[in-house]
């Protein structure tokens, strides 16, 4: 039973395959068979849309436009140039895919509901082109006389066509499952949960979103082509805004983000209107009421909510034994490098937010292999400096050098790929993902195998996947979280979340690690743990910049420090030098008499939390 539930996708696919084979017999007549073929076409479309909506969390209300582009491409090619079924299918998919790229472009700037509006606009534009470009599309009259589909000159009958579309639906389902369980699927889900964390791990958010748009567009295009050869006729009213809504509903009602969800959703929403005919004039009302009731009781969709419930009865999968018990850092970073030189350099870095000067001509250097403390009162610009260094903010003027290379204009994901990792002041975990998946995402740019290998589950993909899964487990083990591998990040105690974020950053194999207040919110014992961890990382040759309010921690571990106040560097030097600096004492306590107090607090090993 448990085995059946764990492998439910493949069990479903096998049952579905048998059902497909028997369906033409069950259907009995041609009308019913046509209906089931159409249902399969919607399933294909919904599965593609699921990659976008379910994985990346982006909403498209223009899917009917992409569906129409596939359909019109096929209809025009088949009627005007006598293209066969296969070339029509290929070109329809390609053409829709190209529009997918176009539609993905706004995501660079536009988010949330605004993006939904852009996709609505796209759907309206396509619909209107279909109406107005009379000579090509036949306007309201549409295109009829689409020939019977054929392959290699052999005509395809209704039954064969049903099998063909059914086979493609099964392929679409398998592609969905394989993308979901690959680094691409995990990256898509990651971008929906924390965009900045994803890019800090080397994930190019724009590229991942474009990929999702293209996959959903190509499938919508294929569905459009299948539709044309089923219906033999198209006109603009088949691809209205209402259809885009229906396609989105299929995914949401079934369960966005699950592979079975869109299949169930498409099935239910295709069948529902037939079923509701008995309600006569109350049909539309019943339709709406049913939707509302289902979404109220099953908020994550039919499959999503039901599998959440089932999950509670499933025993947690036992944590796998690790292949090697060696130190994962040695595999990742080599054996404690000891190059000398400057790892990071800020040259006259200024950054303004409107009128506020958050960084003002900041000048500092971080020696390779050192632990460098960055301190200053709240609002001094510490986080802003880390954000500028890690490519999240663009500086207004000045230069930033990483290992001698000018990285001022580089983006976050590019820096991660060069060996710069970070954690965040307010942890930015992928909350709905497990601890294992969080760290696994950190290995994103180490993979050598691409999307095709992932979809086809080629050997090079399996090798990569196994290898980085093991590496992620080893890193979890290293920070003491191995027994939480299958726990969702949001369910971890806060101290463990901080550790998890460090483990995830280590997956990038950083040579420079930026820690933004890693001790904030930790207990005394956890702070001690953290200190040991940071010292160990430094021994492995990782250069570390640590922003911290826990004075005794940061003073104890830093060989050099930089002190910021109102965006300006007010002191630089060793912990002892900085402690004695009159401007530092002034900034922290506003009063030079507090000097003795500051030192004694530090000497007592008490924690000075949130000074300012
Ligand atoms: P710290 O980390 O040292 O406490 P921050 O770098 O977070 O300080 O903030 C420095 C200053 O910049 C503060 O005055 C803060 O309000 C401002 N600031 C930080 N981020 C932004 C932002 N995204 N937009 C506008 N102002 C910001
Ligand atoms: Mg801060």
């Amino acid at each position: 039973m448990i085995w059946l539930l764990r492998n439910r996708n493949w069990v479903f696919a096998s049952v579905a395959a048998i059902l497909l084979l028997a369906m033409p017999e069950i259907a009995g007549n041609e009308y019913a068979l046509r209906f089931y073929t159409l249902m399969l076409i919607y399933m294909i479309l919904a599965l593609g849309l699921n990659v976008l909506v379910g994985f990346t969390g982006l909403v498209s209300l223009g899917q009917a436009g992409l569906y129409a582009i596939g359909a019109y491409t096929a209809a025009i090619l088949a009627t005007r140039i006598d293209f066969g079924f296969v070339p029509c299918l290929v070109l329809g998919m390609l053409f829709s895919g190209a529009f997918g790229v176009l539609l993905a472009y706004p995501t660079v700037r536009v988010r949330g509901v605004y993006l939904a509006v852009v996709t609505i606009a796209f759907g309206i534009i396509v619909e209107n082109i279909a109406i107005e470009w009379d000579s090509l599309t036949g306007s309201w009259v549409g295109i009829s006389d689409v020939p019977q589909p054929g392959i290699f000159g052999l005509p395809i009958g209704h039954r064969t066509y049903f099998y063909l579309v059914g086979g493609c639906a099964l392929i679409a389902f398998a592609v969905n499952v394989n993308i979901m369980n690959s680094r691409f699927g995990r990256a898509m889900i990651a971008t929906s949960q924390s965009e900045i964390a994803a890019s800090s791990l080397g994930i190019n958010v724009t590229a991942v979103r474009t990929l999702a748009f293209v996959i959903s567009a190509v499938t919508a295009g294929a569905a459009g082509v299948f539709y044309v050869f089923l219906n033999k006729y198209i006109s603009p009213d088949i691809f209205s805004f209402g259809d885009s809504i229906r396609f989105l509903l299929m995914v949401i009602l079934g369960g966005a983000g699950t592979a079975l969800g869109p299949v169930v959703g498409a099935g239910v929403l295709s069948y529902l209107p037939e079923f509701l005919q008995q309600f006569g004039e109350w049909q539309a009302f019943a339709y709406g009421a049913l939707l509302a009731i289902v979404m109220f009781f099953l908020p994550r969709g039919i499959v999503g909510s039901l599998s959440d419930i089932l999950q509670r009865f499933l025993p947690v999968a036992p944590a796998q034994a690790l292949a090697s018990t060696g130190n994962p850092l040695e595999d990742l970073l080599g054996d404690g490098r000891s190059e000398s030189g400057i790892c990071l350099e800020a040259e006259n870095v200024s950054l303004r937010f409107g009128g506020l000067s958050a960084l003002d001509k900041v000048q500092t250097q971080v020696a390779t292999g050192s632990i460098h403390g960055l301190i200053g009162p709240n609002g001094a610009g510490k986080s802003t400096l880390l954000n500028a260094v890690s490519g999240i903010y663009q500086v207004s003027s000045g230069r930033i050098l990483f290992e001698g290379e000018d990285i001022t204009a580089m983006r976050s994901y590019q820096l991660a790929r060069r060996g710069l990792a970070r954690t965040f002041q307010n942890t930015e975990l992928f909350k709905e993902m497990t601890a294992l998946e969080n760290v696994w995402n950190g290995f994103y740019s180490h993979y050598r195998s691409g999307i095709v290998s992932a979809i086809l589950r080629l050997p090079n993909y399996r090798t990569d996947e196994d290898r980085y899964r093991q590496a992620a487990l080893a890193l979890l083990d290293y920070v003491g979280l191995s027994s939480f591998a299958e726990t969702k990040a949001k369910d971890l105690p806060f101290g463990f979340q901080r550790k998890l974020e460090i483990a995830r950053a280590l997956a990038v194999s950083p040579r420079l690690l930026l820690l933004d207040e890693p001790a904030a919110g930790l207990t005394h014992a956890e702070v001690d743990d953290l200190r040991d961890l940071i010292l160990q990382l430094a021994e492995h040759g990782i250069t570390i910049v640590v922003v911290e309010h826990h004075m005794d921690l940061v003073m104890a571990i830093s060989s050099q420090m930089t002190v910021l106040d109102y965006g300006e560097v007010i002191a630089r030097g060793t912990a002892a030098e900085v402690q004695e600096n009159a401007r530092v004492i002034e900034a922290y306590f506003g009063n030079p008499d507090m000097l003795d107090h500051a030192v004694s607090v530090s000497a007592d090993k008490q924690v000075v939390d949130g000074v300012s």
Side-chain angles (χ1 to χ4, degrees), residues 378-379 382-384 425 516-517 547:
N378 273 333
K382 306 180 294 295
S383 295
T384 304
Q425 182 171 344
D516 198 348
E517 303 202 19
V547 171

Side-chain angles (χ1 to χ4, degrees), residues 350-374:
S350 297
L351 199 153
R352 275 175 292 277
F353 293 115
L356 176 83
S357 185
L359 295 175
D360 187 11
K361 298 213 171 77
V362 169
Q363 186 91 38
T364 195
Q365 290 183 342
V366 176
T368 305
S370 70
I371 299 177
H372 193 104
L374 179 60

Side-chain angles (χ1 to χ4, degrees), residues 13 17 58 64 83 155 165 168 260 266 492 561 594:
L58 300 173
F83 267 32
V165 177
C168 289
L260 282 178
L492 288 173
M561 303 187 77
M594 295 297 282

